[in-house]
Structures are given as C-alpha cells and as structure tokens.
Amino acid sequence: MQLEDIKSPADIKGLGYSELEDIASQMRQAVLNRTSQIGGHVGPNLGSVEAIIALHYVFDAPTDRLVYDVSHQAFPHKMLTGRVDGFLDRDDFSKVGEYTCPPESPEYDIFWAGHTSPALSLCVGLAKARDLKKDRYNVVAFVGDGALSGGVAFEGLDAGGALNSNLICIINDNQMAIAEDHGGIYSNLRQLRETNGTAADNLFKSFGWDYMYVAEGNNVEKLIEAYRKVKDSSKPTVIHINTQKGEGYVPAEQYREAFHFRNPYEIATGELLKIPPKPNYTTVLKDFINRSAKKYPRFLVITSATPDDFALTPREREALGEHYMDVAIAEQTGVSVMAGAARDGAKVVYGVVATFLQRAYDQLVEDWAMDNSPALMVVCETGINGIVDQTHLGFWDIAMITSIPEIIYLAPANMEEYDAMLEWALAQDKFKVAVRQPVYSIQHADYEVDKDYSDLDKFKVIKEGKDVAIIAAGDFFVKGREVADLLAEAGINATLINPRFISGVDKELLDSLKDNHRLVVTIENGSIEGGFGQRVASALGTSGLKVLNLGLEKRFVDRYNVKELEEKYGLLPEQIADRIKSLL
Amino acid sequence: MQLEDIKSPADIKGLGYSELEDIASQMRQAVLNRTSQIGGHVGPNLGSVEAIIALHYVFDAPTDRLVYDVSHQAFPHKMLTGRVDGFLDRDDFSKVGEYTCPPESPEYDIFWAGHTSPALSLCVGLAKARDLKKDRYNVVAFVGDGALSGGVAFEGLDAGGALNSNLICIINDNQMAIAEDHGGIYSNLRQLRETNGTAADNLFKSFGWDYMYVAEGNNVEKLIEAYRKVKDSSKPTVIHINTQKGEGYVPAEQYREAFHFRNPYEIATGELLKIPPKPNYTTVLKDFINRSAKKYPRFLVITSATPDDFALTPREREALGEHYMDVAIAEQTGVSVMAGAARDGAKVVYGVVATFLQRAYDQLVEDWAMDNSPALMVVCETGINGIVDQTHLGFWDIAMITSIPEIIYLAPANMEEYDAMLEWALAQDKFKVAVRQPVYSIQHADYEVDKDYSDLDKFKVIKEGKDVAIIAAGDFFVKGREVADLLAEAGINATLINPRFISGVDKELLDSLKDNHRLVVTIENGSIEGGFGQRVASALGTSGLKVLNLGLEKRFVDRYNVKELEEKYGLLPEQIADRIKSLL
C-alpha cells in the first residue's frame, strides 16, 4: 500500500504486520522529505512511527480519543488522518503544522497541546466528560519526548491515578528530552528499561496506575499486542514503550540533540543547508556565559531542556561542569532554582524560551520577585519572528513579566546594548533582572551604550526633535529609526527614544515631552495589551499629549508570514510614518 | 522552661524530651491563643509542633537552611526564632504574619514561600549555591499539608533526586490537603503509612531519593532520632512523618477542614465568634452550583483543594457525586481538566482563588484559550480586600487573564449581575468565560441587569452626563457611583458606566464620549499596570480626551489596612472626586 493512498485510519486496519512495516518505512521517508526541505522535528517523529501506527490500528479514532504530548511527535498521526500530502509535496507542506492542530483536523486533533506535559490532565477531563455521558470509548494520552518532567504531567499522573475509569497513558520513552534528560525519574525509567519493566521502584505504580512494559517500542507487532491488552480497560493504565529517537535515519540516531528540531538539511549527510550568521545574539549570550564562568567562582547557568538558547554545545556544557545545570522541561523549577541559588549568593543566569516561561508565572511572582534573589533571566524567542506557531508565540512575555512588581525587564536594541545589559545584570546584586534577547534583526549601536542600568526606568533620547516623539523598544528600535528617517524626508523632525526599560516608564522624560511635542508613538515587538506602550499611554493620560500604541494584536495567529502580519498590524515603517503624518 | 523565654533555637538545644514536650504543649496554647482571637491556620500549626521542635533541636539554623512549604504550618518555627510575642499578646499579633516572611526574620525565614509546593526546587537552588561555595551545611525542605500535589513539588522531587549532594525533605503527611486529599499519590502515602514505610511502591524512591518513615510524627523523641540519622547525609533523603492535623485540640482534630483556616472562634467549643452575613457572593455561587447540577445532566464542578470557594460543605459535595471533582492543590490540572471536559461537552465550572490561578497561566493560554472548550471559571478572592498577605494578593488577575486572547473576563458589580453572568456563562457554548467574584461590598442592582453577554465588550451606561465619564469596573462600581454623587453635589453631572467586560473595550461607546466629555476616569479593583483602565487609555490615546486610570499600584504590600491603602492609592471617593475636579 502506498502512503499517499491512506485517507483515514480505516485504511490500515486490515493490513498485515509486514505491510504496516512498509508503511512505517514510507512514513520515515516522508518525515525526512518534509523536514529536510523546510526544517522541523526530525528525531521525535522518526521515533514514534510504529507506536502511532499501532495506536491507530488498535484504537478507533475519532471515537477513541487520542491526545499527543508533546505534539511535535505526531507527524505519523497526521499522515494517517488525511494529511499525508503535507509531507510529500513541497507545495502542500504549509497545509500542515508542526503540532496537532484542531483547525487542520477537527475530528482527529482534539487539542493544540503544543506545549509539553498537559495531556494527562486534558485526558482526565475527557474521561470525566465521557463518564458523565455514560459512554465507553477509550481515552489515550501519548506522552513522550521529555514531556514527563513538566509539573503538570505529574499532576496528571496523580489525578489520573485516582480515576476509577478507562484512561490509557502511553509513555514514549526515547531516553531523552530535547537535549539529554535530567532528573530522578529518568533514572527510574532507565531501571525499568534495564529490568524489562520489573524494577522494584516504579514511578507509575506509585501514582496508582497499572503498568506494562514494551521493550521493542519500534516493533509494530509487539506494540499492537500490548495495546490490545489494555484497550477498553476500566482502570488507569500506563504502557511504557522503549523507542529510539531518530530511529531509521543514521544522522538522527547519532546526533539526537541536533536532530530534535533541525533547520533544512541534506538528507544524505544530515548537514545543514544554511549556517546561521555569526555573530548573532545567541553567540553574544554564549560568549557572555563562557566569560562569566571564568569570572565568577559561584557562577551557575540554568537551562530547562533547551541549552541551544545559549548555543552551548554538549562539549561546552561539559566544560562548564558544576556551573551548568539543566532542570529538564520544568520551567517552574528553573525559576525556583534560580531564585534559591541566587538567595545564597550564586551568580545565576537562567535562559528560557518566552513561550515556555508561561509555565513559571507563579514562580516569577512568588519565588523570585518578592525574594532577595538578584539574578539574571534571559528570555529568548520573543516577538513577531520568534516562533510562528500559534502554540509557541513570543507575543505575551512583556505583559506577563511587566505585570509583576520588582522584576526589571530590559529590552536591548542591538548587539552592544545586549552585551552591556547582560554584564550589568549579572554583576549587580540588588535587582532581579530579565533581559529580552533580540530576534528581529542584527543591529549594532551607533550611539554610546550605557554600562550601568541601576538608575531604573531611564529612557535614552537618541535624537532630539519636536512635534512627535517615537519610543521604540527593544528589537523594534530599528523601526523607530526607520520611521524617523521617513519623517525627516517629509520635513518632520521626530524625537527618537530607546526606552531600554519596558517594565516601567520614565515619568520625568515623558512629562518633558509636553513642551514641544503633540504626539507620542510607542512601538514594541509584543502584544499591545498589557504591554509597554499602554503604560506610556496611561502615564500621559492627563497630559494633553496624544499617544499612539503600536505593536502586536491580542489574538492567536498560526504559521503566519512575518512581513504580511506586520503589514496587517500596520507595523511597516511607511505605514507608521503615514499614520503619524495623519495624526500631526 | 517558659515559651516566652525562648529567643532563639539555641535555647532548646539542651532540653530533655519531657521539657520539649512541655514546650510543645505551650506552643499549642499559643497557636490557639492567637488564632482564636484574630483567625488563622489552626490545624496545620497544631500538627507540626513536634516536627518543628525536633527540626530546630537537631539542625542548626540559620547555618542549616530550613524551608517551609506551605509556610502556613510554620508558627512553631516562628516561636523558636525570636517571634513568640506574636502569639502570646494580642498587641503583638500584628508583628507576625501567617507565612514565613523574610522581613520579619531575615536570618531564619529564607523565602516567603506563601504558595504551596516550591520548597524542593528552592532547596535544590540553595544546595547548588552551597556546593558551589564548597560548604557543607544541611538544606532541609519541610513539605506538608497538601503541598506535594502541586506540579512544581514533583519537579522538585525529580530535580532533587538527581542531586548528588545533601538535601533533606521532610514530608509532613497529615493525611489531607486543605480539604480531604485527592489523587493517586495519597493512596501511595496511605500504603506507606499502613506498611510502616515498607510498601512495594514508593513514590520517593522512584524519584531517586533515600527514604525513611516515622510513624509517630507527633512524638518529639522519635523525630529527633530520625532527623539525627539523616543529618549531614550526602544524598537526597526523604523522611516521611505521619502527623495529625489539629493534634491536641479536639475541635480541630474532629473538623479538620473547618479548622484548616478559621476565623476567630471560642476556644472552649471551637464555635465561630461571628457568622458571615447571608446572602453573600459565595452563597450566590453555591446556589448557582446546586441549581446547575439539577439542570445539566453533564454538569461538572471542579475545585483545586478549596471547595470553600463555593461554600460547598462536605455533605453537599457528596450529594453532587460524580458532578464534583477536586484535583487537589494543582491548578494547572484544574484548568486542563476544565478544558478537557468542556471539549467533550461537559458543562464545567472551575472555581479558583486568584492568587493560586497564577500557577496555571500556561494552561490558560495553551489548553483553554486556544481550544474549543467553552466553560466557566470563577475567580475568587480578588482585589484590595481579598487576602491581605503579600503572598496571596488578588491584585494581578486582571493583567494576567486579560493579556490572553479568547478569554472573556466579566466583572459583575452586584449580586444580581453576578448571578446573571454565571447563568449566561454556563448556558452558552461558544465562549470561554471567567467571572470575577466580587468581594469589596455587598451590593444590589438598581438598574435592569442584562441576561445575555454574547455581544462582547459592551459597556453599560448607568447614568448619562457630561464633561467627565466614570468607568468603574466590578466591585469598584460602587466607588464610581459614590464619586458621581459627590460630583453632583458640586454641580458636575458625570456620566457613570459599568463596563462589565474587563478583557476588552467598547470602542464605539468610548468614541462617542468625545462629543461632550473632556475626561474619562477608570476605576478598577486590581493593579493598574496591564489592567483594564490602561486599555481604555490606549484606545482613547489619539482622541483628545484626557484619561485618568485609578486602581492598585504595582507593588507588593503585606498585611495592610484596607482603608489606609485605599487612601494611599487615592481611591477614597472624596479623593477621586477632588482629583476629577482639579482636572476639569
């Protein structure tokens, strides 16, 4: 049978094992075909092929509910549910996203679930809804690829273990998270693998689940047998399957971290087609880390499963030794370890992806902001060209972080300012500082960059003008400059301000603008609502000055074209300049 | 030895067991003395007395680091660290707060840690800092009273289990959370208690920890022996102690839920001194719940360890049967179960305390807002007179919730509007709706309350006037009315608006204000920054209208007097009226 002929799971139900294996091999080609051309998650999707074929073979979706977590391993599921075109033909790639996506397949993709770890709790909800309607279908969570280390996954094990009803959890154990795995549970998973599931200590049993082990997690026959045993069970049951991340593609088996998510590459060698430019903001950060490790005896850099935020290679991480700690996919713990270590004098940098920091909002408020824990948190992948998947947008971090007292959020506008802010934030021992790593474009300072940011909330006037003042924050400062240049061509001499601080406003400077300005324009690379600009609007509310807030809208967008979205939101420099002219 | 003579832990180091028991009994009297007069956590602090005496007897704080989680069980710790006055004399009660508090005792209270579950992760940070400075003191987390069910506690067990160093975790197992406990782990704890710690499945061992069980957790001698065995150990070690919540005070032993936190009561009987007025907003909610359970066959009400949000008694919870689910202290799971059950057609209400909802920010964004899961979330204990402890402020919920797309946040101004919003939110199946339960004062509607809120973001003009428009949200609507009355006395005919929706603005109405107003004033019972009013300021930024945003400041405040804080923030009606007059 040809992969392209599969329109729904029904099409594989009658097949024999060898035919299923043939489908598996075609699927692997399709994963490589797509990811090599446009990038994507390689290893996770290669590792889960048989497990997902068996899932659709044994269970009856959409009646049975299948929830993937994290859903960056769900390409095989997409191929079996009418979306195989998205993997075969370049013209169709854009029809299909990286993660499960209800608009793509309302029947088969129940949740977005783009972040790790919530599947079990979501499935407890599905099971509860099923029981309330006295129905009897299966509810299955397919949990893998490091998703088990996030707090809500344990909560889900806890809630699920108390459920006296059908709930099946497949633990896709590929022996690593995004990078290598960390934490006590991974020792337990290893013990279970090494004892063929019979180890005395069993995490899942201690949460109240029945347990079954499948050693050959890439063997479709063994998987089908195992799944059949638990189908329609009336108790919470874990099937722990041992799979290989990257299975069937040598480079991905060998370099499992590099092939977790890979930019376009040559299939034959695995080599990247394009090398990212150097230096960039990530290399600034990486150099800062390596420098700081030498400078501070009690230096500690923390990551939560994404050391690539720092471009830190495995070798560099090893060289950092006790100065490096990965807490696994567990941002709550990332923040609390940062706060705890800083409280007792360690010099701590925690690097975190903006969208994942959402998991640690409470720790930011309760464990960092109010405690005496000066430290540096670097927030990556923010703004309009951070990550373009709806589930991973870097739009909300400004509203999230700046609503919290005591956290200073700095937005550097260029490489030199970024470096200076990192240096200052780690050297000082008074403030809790977050720095927003720029993404939008590589820029260099053409003004003198300050070394000291302890005079809080001081905005920097880069160019004095009149009538209109443009306050352009962070990596959108470049837009402010472009707009000012366009206005200059039209004879308007705008004031240009780099605020640097986005968690507070420079009242004095804002007040002084009244003298010879009529309009203040804020531009930020984040959601307007709850963001930086609205604070400026509020601060100037009774001043008589007009204020225009520009930025991203409070709405979910998925796999958008950056330029098109900028245009839609009126963020192209010409659009901004025109709008200003009409308001003056 | 008299309790009042203890100035530091050194004072108990030389004592014999019977003297320590005498201290314990004096401590219990002190707990009752304080809580019976001003209210407070009774059961948790009675249960932990011996465990904490033994802790300070064996370990050497402040060199050894002791972290309490949740810290509402730390009164005995406060009594041993120079703060016993706060429990003996009414005049001194206010010197001491409910939770560990670094400003109260910078030496002995390392973190605020007012929310449950972060202690282990914080201690991993402390241990890491210690190891980096090559020091050797003990780091001890005292975890209890339901704190184990929160996701970050499991993350902490996971991170701690992988630590090759000294880290001691005392699990204070009093067999319940705030109400009865829920979840698979509590079965495991029970198995461990029933087998004297020898059960085959052991949660802690499966996370990689050494384990020891102490059956008599209220026996100071047994505890001291156990602690001595693990002191200075170089491996992560759990001591699981079996204590009784409310130990030594019959009413608290008998009614463990009612005495978890108790308003002032008579010591002899345990009876409350004052019964809260009825009906109030909580009874509106409770009546709505009981009504809905009859109306909707697939009704589900979810709580996360605080069923008192609904004033639901144990008997009523039992009567709700399968329509009631408590997920333990696990708000991430609370939100995800709500989303999951709503996704498959259940009619779901999730009731949650604002400050604890902070833990579920990511689930709000990723598992609720973007999924097709219409449900109702009721947010309790918000605003200036929600909870006055710094760690439990209800100031941040508006900024947090309204920064997220797709969640409609409604703020009712009175009993009737609250009831109507609850009814509508559960009946409809299109929107994800959060309702902010009023706290500020009991109010009744003197205008016709709408039944249907599907025309989103429509503000309601209660009184038409001119020059100044007052938009007063939620339970601060009453302030708007008072201000309008004061202005009327001064001959100013203000427009008065109840926005109802705080997650969006009524553009049309705002634009129409330009015709005959010069000033718009917003008043909200939450933090101004990122809040409702700043959206109004932004929407009116280029209109030429002046905007004044009033509300709470973005700063931590602790155990404040409500009236004094209102005055400080300029929120008394006379202050607001004067400010408006000066701006007109």
Side-chain angles (χ1 to χ4, degrees):
Chain A
M1 181 163 205
Q2 292 305 302
L3 186 59
E4 53 263 47
D5 296 330
I6 298 177
K7 301 299 169 207
S8 86
D11 294 331
I12 63 161
K13 296 270 180 190
L15 302 183
Y17 293 134
S18 68
E19 284 171 295
L20 293 175
E21 280 162 20
D22 179 55
I23 297 284
S25 136
Q26 293 182 58
M27 280 184 170
R28 290 210 159 81
Q29 286 310 314
V31 169
L32 296 182
N33 180 51
R34 176 186 163 106
T35 57
S36 66
Q37 293 183 65
I38 59 166
H41 290 88
V42 183
N45 284 306
L46 292 175
S48 65
V49 163
E50 289 81 8
I52 290 177
I53 290 176
L55 202 61
H56 277 291
Y57 192 87
V58 173
F59 294 96
D60 301 307
T63 302
D64 289 330
R65 307 293 198 258
L66 311 180
V67 179
Y68 297 88
D69 174 2
V70 53
S71 70
H72 67 218
Q73 53 182 335
F75 282 174
H77 163 79
K78 295 194 175 198
M79 295 183 200
L80 294 174
T81 54
R83 287 170 280 176
V84 74
D85 293 352
F87 301 87
L88 300 177
D89 188 337
R90 185 162 189 140
D91 293 340
D92 294 326
F93 288 169
S94 67
K95 290 185 191 160
V96 169
E98 278 301 291
Y99 308 96
T100 50
C101 173
E104 231 179 72
S105 179
E107 259 192 300
Y108 292 103
D109 287 8
I110 304 179
F111 302 107
W112 285 89
H115 279 194
T116 45
S117 312
L120 281 162
S121 297
L122 290 167
C123 283
V124 169
L126 292 176
K128 193 72 199 167
R130 175 200 59 205
D131 295 347
L132 285 169
K133 54 183 161 172
K134 319 290 176 206
D135 214 327
R136 299 179 61 87
Y137 49 80
N138 291 275
V139 174
V140 185
F142 188 90
V143 176
D145 212 47
L148 203 56
S149 62
V152 67
F154 295 115
E155 289 184 5
L157 278 175
D158 187 32
L163 208 69
N164 198 11
S165 184
N166 170 283
L167 180 61
I168 295 161
C169 172
I170 295 161
I171 299 288
N172 176 18
D173 176 5
N174 65 16
Q175 303 138 52
M176 67 187 307
I178 293 171
E180 69 280 4
D181 52 26
H182 294 270
I185 56 163
Y186 292 106
S187 303
N188 190 234
L189 291 179
R190 192 179 58 242
Q191 285 164 19
L192 288 167
R193 289 194 305 266
E194 287 171 359
T195 60
N196 202 29
T198 63
D201 298 320
N202 183 312
L203 182 73
F204 308 103
K205 287 187 182 175
S206 61
F207 274 103
W209 293 64
D210 282 1
Y211 173 87
M212 180 189 295
Y213 180 72
V214 180
E216 296 174 50
N218 291 105
N219 178 326
V220 74
E221 183 176 348
K222 304 277 188 198
L223 289 162
I224 287 172
E225 283 169 12
Y227 293 173
R228 277 183 172 150
K229 282 185 194 147
V230 301
K231 192 183 178 186
D232 301 324
S233 90
S234 58
K235 283 187 296 185
T237 306
V238 160
I239 309 181
H240 175 189
I241 67 175
N242 175 36
T243 65
Q244 165 147 256
K245 194 162 181 166
E247 170 85 12
Y249 178 55
V250 173
E253 290 179 7
Q254 223 160 5
Y255 304 103
R256 297 191 296 170
E257 183 178 336
F259 279 86
H260 170 77
F261 179 97
R262 188 115 178 126
N263 285 321
Y265 57 93
E266 199 180 325
I267 295 184
T269 61
E271 295 290 330
L272 287 174
L273 297 183
K274 257 200 321 202
I275 303 296
K278 284 193 177 191
N280 57 32
Y281 294 103
T282 309
T283 57
V284 169
L285 179 58
K286 170 208 186 97
D287 292 347
F288 163 73
I289 294 292
N290 288 327
R291 212 161 59 226
S292 302
K294 296 194 180 77
K295 184 166 168 187
Y296 300 107
R298 285 189 257 161
F299 178 73
L300 178 63
V301 53
I302 303 168
T303 58
S304 35
T306 57
D308 50 314
D309 298 345
F310 298 115
L312 290 177
T313 62
R315 209 176 53 190
E316 288 170 305
R317 302 199 298 261
E318 212 188 311
L320 283 165
E322 64 175 349
H323 301 285
Y324 173 70
M325 181 177 187
D326 189 286
V327 297
I329 300 183
E331 289 76 12
Q332 296 180 278
T333 289
V335 170
S336 294
V337 171
M338 165 179 69
R343 175 66 180 74
D344 264 347
K347 285 282 181 193
V348 191
V349 186
Y350 174 40
V352 61
V353 175
T355 189
F356 301 140
L357 183 61
Q358 293 171 184
R359 286 194 275 250
Y361 180 78
D362 189 57
Q363 278 65 43
L364 291 177
V365 180
E366 304 285 329
D367 296 340
W368 195 34
M370 66 179 80
D371 278 312
N372 180 21
S373 299
L376 162 61
M377 180 172 74
V378 180
V379 183
C380 305
E381 302 287 8
T382 59
I384 197 161
N385 58 350
I387 307 176
V388 301
D389 299 281
Q390 165 164 316
T391 48
H392 287 66
L393 299 175
F395 291 16
W396 326 117
D397 61 301
I398 299 178
M400 175 173 69
I401 293 171
T402 63
S403 68
I404 303 170
E406 302 288 333
I407 299 178
I408 315 302
Y409 201 12
L410 294 172
N414 50 58
M415 307 271 276
E416 293 74 19
E417 202 162 65
Y418 184 40
D419 202 36
M421 285 172 173
L422 295 173
E423 280 287 343
W424 170 77
L426 193 63
Q428 61 83 35
D429 56 8
K430 187 168 170 196
F431 304 108
K432 287 143 268 193
V433 182
V435 177
R436 197 174 200 237
Q437 175 168 293
V439 185
Y440 190 66
S441 60
I442 303 283
Q443 298 292 330
H444 291 279
D446 55 2
Y447 53 86
E448 178 130 12
V449 160
D450 289 328
K451 301 279 175 224
D452 186 345
Y453 296 85
S454 54
D455 192 5
L456 299 183
D457 298 334
K458 283 289 160 221
F459 295 180
K460 192 178 184 84
V461 178
I462 304 298
K463 173 172 108 59
E464 286 203 49
K466 64 189 184 66
D467 299 326
V468 56
I470 300 166
I471 309 179
D475 57 9
F476 267 13
F477 177 75
V478 63
K479 280 189 187 287
R481 187 176 287 281
E482 285 165 0
V483 171
D485 290 346
L486 287 171
L487 291 174
E489 287 170 22
I492 299 167
N493 178 22
T495 295
L496 180 63
I497 295 168
N498 173 4
R500 293 104 51 97
F501 297 86
I502 52 175
S503 47
V505 294
D506 187 338
K507 280 277 208 183
E508 203 181 332
L509 177 70
L510 290 180
D511 283 340
S512 76
L513 294 175
K514 271 182 287 192
D515 298 339
N516 56 349
H517 295 79
R518 283 173 288 155
L519 174 67
V520 172
V521 179
T522 66
I523 313 177
E524 67 197 293
N525 191 3
S527 179
I528 297 172
E529 299 208 25
F532 164 73
Q534 292 197 331
R535 288 180 166 76
V536 173
S538 180
L540 289 171
T542 59
S543 69
L545 273 171
K546 290 189 176 186
V547 180
L548 173 65
N549 295 138
L550 298 174
L552 310 180
E553 293 186 11
K554 182 175 104 173
R555 65 176 72 242
F556 291 123
V557 285
D558 192 31
R559 292 178 282 143
Y560 54 84
N561 174 288
V562 172
K563 192 79 186 282
E564 282 170 17
L565 195 67
E566 285 194 64
E567 190 172 358
K568 189 174 164 193
Y569 289 173
L571 292 173
L572 300 179
E574 313 77 51
Q575 292 175 303
I576 299 174
D578 288 346
R579 192 127 174 232
I580 290 172
K581 284 183 226 164
S582 76
L583 283 166
L584 281 178
Chain B
M1 180 165 207
Q2 293 305 302
L3 187 58
E4 53 263 46
D5 296 330
I6 298 176
K7 302 298 169 208
S8 86
D11 295 330
I12 63 161
K13 296 269 181 189
L15 302 183
Y17 293 134
S18 68
E19 284 171 295
L20 293 176
E21 279 161 20
D22 180 54
I23 297 284
S25 133
Q26 293 181 59
M27 279 185 171
R28 289 210 159 81
Q29 286 309 313
V31 169
L32 296 181
N33 180 52
R34 175 186 163 107
T35 57
S36 66
Q37 293 184 66
I38 59 165
H41 289 89
V42 184
N45 284 306
L46 292 175
S48 64
V49 163
E50 289 81 7
I52 290 176
I53 290 176
L55 202 61
H56 277 290
Y57 192 86
V58 173
F59 294 95
D60 302 307
T63 302
D64 289 330
R65 307 294 198 256
L66 311 179
V67 179
Y68 297 88
D69 174 2
V70 52
S71 70
H72 67 218
Q73 53 181 336
F75 282 174
H77 163 79
K78 295 194 175 199
M79 295 182 199
L80 294 174
T81 53
R83 286 169 281 176
V84 74
D85 293 353
F87 301 86
L88 299 177
D89 189 336
R90 186 164 186 137
D91 293 340
D92 294 325
F93 287 169
S94 66
K95 289 185 194 162
V96 170
E98 276 306 287
Y99 308 96
T100 50
C101 174
E104 231 178 74
S105 178
E107 259 193 300
Y108 292 103
D109 288 7
I110 305 178
F111 302 107
W112 285 88
H115 278 194
T116 46
S117 311
L120 280 162
S121 297
L122 289 166
C123 283
V124 169
L126 292 176
K128 193 72 199 165
R130 174 200 60 206
D131 295 347
L132 285 169
K133 56 185 159 169
K134 318 290 175 205
D135 214 327
R136 298 180 62 88
Y137 49 81
N138 291 274
V139 174
V140 185
F142 188 89
V143 176
D145 213 46
L148 203 55
S149 62
V152 67
F154 294 115
E155 290 184 4
L157 278 176
D158 188 32
L163 209 69
N164 200 11
S165 186
N166 170 284
L167 179 62
I168 295 162
C169 172
I170 295 161
I171 299 288
N172 176 17
D173 176 6
N174 65 17
Q175 304 136 52
M176 67 188 307
I178 294 172
E180 69 279 4
D181 51 29
H182 293 270
I185 56 163
Y186 292 106
S187 303
N188 189 236
L189 291 178
R190 193 179 57 242
Q191 286 163 19
L192 289 167
R193 290 195 304 267
E194 288 172 357
T195 59
N196 204 26
T198 63
D201 298 319
N202 184 312
L203 181 74
F204 308 103
K205 286 187 184 175
S206 60
F207 274 103
W209 293 64
D210 283 1
Y211 173 88
M212 179 189 295
Y213 180 73
V214 180
E216 296 174 51
N218 292 103
N219 179 324
V220 74
E221 182 176 347
K222 303 278 188 198
L223 289 162
I224 287 172
E225 283 169 11
Y227 293 173
R228 278 182 173 151
K229 282 186 195 148
V230 301
K231 192 183 177 185
D232 302 324
S233 90
S234 58
K235 281 187 299 185
T237 306
V238 160
I239 309 182
H240 175 188
I241 67 175
N242 175 37
T243 66
Q244 166 148 256
K245 193 163 181 165
E247 170 86 12
Y249 177 55
V250 173
E253 289 179 8
Q254 223 160 5
Y255 305 103
R256 297 191 296 170
E257 184 178 335
F259 279 85
H260 170 78
F261 180 97
R262 190 123 179 118
N263 285 320
Y265 57 92
E266 200 181 325
I267 294 183
T269 61
E271 295 290 331
L272 286 175
L273 297 182
K274 255 198 327 200
I275 303 295
K278 283 196 178 189
N280 58 32
Y281 294 103
T282 309
T283 59
V284 169
L285 179 59
K286 170 207 185 99
D287 293 346
F288 163 73
I289 295 291
N290 288 325
R291 215 162 57 226
S292 302
K294 296 194 180 77
K295 186 167 166 186
Y296 299 108
R298 284 189 260 161
F299 177 74
L300 178 64
V301 53
I302 303 168
T303 59
S304 35
T306 58
D308 51 314
D309 297 346
F310 298 117
L312 289 177
T313 61
R315 210 177 52 189
E316 289 170 304
R317 302 199 298 261
E318 210 187 311
L320 283 166
E322 64 175 347
H323 301 285
Y324 173 71
M325 182 175 186
D326 189 285
V327 297
I329 300 182
E331 290 75 12
Q332 296 180 277
T333 289
V335 170
S336 294
V337 171
M338 166 178 69
R343 175 64 180 76
D344 264 347
K347 283 284 181 190
V348 191
V349 187
Y350 174 40
V352 61
V353 175
T355 189
F356 301 141
L357 183 61
Q358 292 170 186
R359 286 193 276 249
Y361 180 79
D362 190 56
Q363 278 64 44
L364 291 177
V365 180
E366 303 285 328
D367 295 341
W368 195 33
M370 67 178 79
D371 278 313
N372 180 20
S373 300
L376 162 61
M377 180 171 75
V378 180
V379 184
C380 306
E381 301 287 8
T382 59
I384 197 162
N385 59 350
I387 307 175
V388 300
D389 299 280
Q390 166 165 316
T391 48
H392 287 65
L393 299 175
F395 291 15
W396 326 117
D397 61 302
I398 300 179
M400 174 173 69
I401 293 172
T402 64
S403 67
I404 303 171
E406 301 287 332
I407 299 178
I408 316 302
Y409 202 12
L410 293 172
N414 51 58
M415 307 271 276
E416 293 74 19
E417 201 162 65
Y418 184 41
D419 202 34
M421 285 173 174
L422 296 173
E423 279 288 342
W424 170 77
L426 193 62
Q428 60 83 36
D429 55 7
K430 190 170 168 194
F431 303 108
K432 287 143 267 192
V433 182
V435 177
R436 196 173 201 239
Q437 176 168 294
V439 186
Y440 190 66
S441 60
I442 303 282
Q443 298 293 328
H444 291 279
D446 56 2
Y447 54 86
E448 178 131 11
V449 160
D450 289 327
K451 301 278 176 224
D452 186 345
Y453 296 85
S454 53
D455 193 6
L456 299 182
D457 298 335
K458 282 289 158 219
F459 294 0
K460 193 178 182 82
V461 178
I462 303 298
K463 174 171 107 57
E464 286 202 48
K466 63 190 184 64
D467 298 328
V468 57
I470 300 167
I471 308 178
D475 58 9
F476 267 12
F477 177 74
V478 63
K479 280 189 185 288
R481 188 176 285 284
E482 286 166 0
V483 171
D485 290 346
L486 288 171
L487 291 174
E489 287 170 22
I492 299 168
N493 178 22
T495 295
L496 179 63
I497 295 168
N498 172 4
R500 294 105 50 96
F501 297 86
I502 51 175
S503 46
V505 295
D506 187 339
K507 280 276 205 182
E508 203 182 332
L509 178 70
L510 291 180
D511 282 342
S512 76
L513 294 175
K514 272 183 285 190
D515 299 339
N516 57 350
H517 296 79
R518 282 173 289 156
L519 174 67
V520 172
V521 180
T522 65
I523 313 177
E524 67 197 292
N525 191 2
S527 179
I528 297 173
E529 298 207 27
F532 163 73
Q534 292 197 331
R535 287 179 168 75
V536 173
S538 180
L540 288 171
T542 59
S543 69
L545 275 170
K546 291 190 175 186
V547 180
L548 174 65
N549 295 139
L550 298 174
L552 311 179
E553 292 185 13
K554 182 175 102 172
R555 66 175 73 243
F556 291 122
V557 285
D558 192 32
R559 291 178 281 142
Y560 53 86
N561 174 288
V562 173
K563 192 78 187 282
E564 282 172 17
L565 195 67
E566 285 194 66
E567 190 173 356
K568 189 173 164 195
Y569 289 173
L571 292 172
L572 300 178
E574 313 76 53
Q575 293 176 301
I576 299 175
D578 288 346
R579 193 126 174 233
I580 289 172
K581 284 182 224 164
S582 76
L583 283 166
L584 282 177

